[in-house]
Amino acid sequence: MTMISVNEFKNGLTIEHNNDLWRIIEFQHVKPGKGSAFVRSKLKSLRTGAVQDYTFRSTEKVNTADIQTKPMQYLYNDGSSYVFMDMNTYEQLEIPNAEVDRESKFLKENMEVNVIMHGSETLGIDLPNTVDLEVAETEPGIRGDTSSGGGKPATMETGLVVNVPFFINAGDILTINTADGSYVSRANK
């Protein structure tokens, strides 16, 4: 653990503050005409996912958090937790359903993800920027429709519902953005 000045903040940096682990989403150095400078920041809790605005005095120092990411393979869901395997040691790790609720809509068996750890505590998983998922169910495509001008809902193989262009049919493989769950394109086969 190392102490850094709040003037050294960077987006994505993980710090310890108020007995929690926070990832810096954004920050801004402010130098008002009167008074001392300060750093306005938006922090996301790695334990709860809550986002909070916090203002630090420019003279403050904070501890950086020692966060590791382990590449692991998603194996299966046993009903109460998601099971991942370390690909080097073959050890299995179970993460409760509640901790990966949002990410679960993008998980496919045998998919590689990064598991975020702080010491022996599991904080969650980092997904790739995009995933390829098969359309399980959608209304049939209509001839002549193009990618612009509206869309329709499609249920993916994982249960995720995505708004897609009219020409997409059940069985198509689509590339989906994991940040916001939006349609990117048809996947290259």
Side-chain angles (χ1 to χ4, degrees):
M1 220 179 332
T2 57
M3 295 283 283
I4 64 164
S5 166
V6 296
N7 295 319
E8 299 174 55
F9 276 4
K10 293 182 175 82
N11 288 343
L13 181 69
T14 305
I15 62 171
E16 290 185 13
H17 178 65
N18 289 345
N19 297 323
D20 202 357
L21 298 172
W22 300 90
R23 177 164 287 144
I24 298 169
I25 298 173
E26 58 186 51
F27 66 96
Q28 178 183 19
H29 294 279
V30 180
K31 295 179 184 173
K34 285 187 174 183
S36 59
F38 58 91
V39 176
R40 193 178 287 134
S41 63
K42 186 176 280 195
L43 308 174
K44 180 178 181 179
S45 171
L46 293 181
R47 291 189 174 118
T48 64
V51 175
Q52 179 179 4
D53 291 329
Y54 196 84
T55 303
F56 295 92
R57 291 187 310 276
S58 65
T59 57
E60 280 187 75
K61 291 186 178 282
V62 294
N63 285 322
T64 58
D66 184 27
I67 301 294
Q68 302 90 31
T69 57
K70 277 185 170 177
M72 296 187 122
Q73 183 179 40
Y74 168 59
L75 297 178
Y76 60 90
N77 182 324
D78 67 6
S80 62
S81 60
Y82 288 85
V83 180
F84 296 87
M85 178 183 68
D86 186 318
M87 293 180 294
N88 296 324
T89 63
Y90 302 107
E91 290 179 28
Q92 292 187 3
L93 171 72
E94 293 185 14
I95 302 177
N97 285 352
E99 290 185 27
V100 289
D101 186 44
R102 190 192 89 71
E103 293 89 350
S104 67
K105 297 285 188 201
F106 302 101
L107 286 176
K108 288 173 54 174
E109 289 184 5
N110 303 320
M111 180 179 179
E112 286 186 32
V113 297
N114 287 321
V115 176
I116 305 167
M117 311 273 297
H118 177 66
S120 61
E121 178 185 7
T122 304
L123 299 173
I125 61 173
D126 259 347
L127 294 167
N129 292 334
T130 60
V131 294
D132 291 344
L133 299 174
E134 183 178 344
V135 177
E137 185 180 320
T138 190
E139 296 172 14
I142 302 168
R143 185 178 294 273
D145 280 329
T146 61
S147 61
S148 61
K152 61 183 179 180
T155 304
M156 307 311 286
E157 63 186 300
T158 60
L160 176 71
V161 177
V162 178
N163 195 37
V164 298
F166 288 116
F167 63 82
I168 299 296
N169 295 307
D172 287 353
I173 308 292
L174 307 180
T175 301
I176 305 297
N177 182 341
T178 58
D180 59 7
S182 64
Y183 164 83
V184 175
S185 66
R186 279 187 174 160
N188 296 333
K189 292 180 184 172

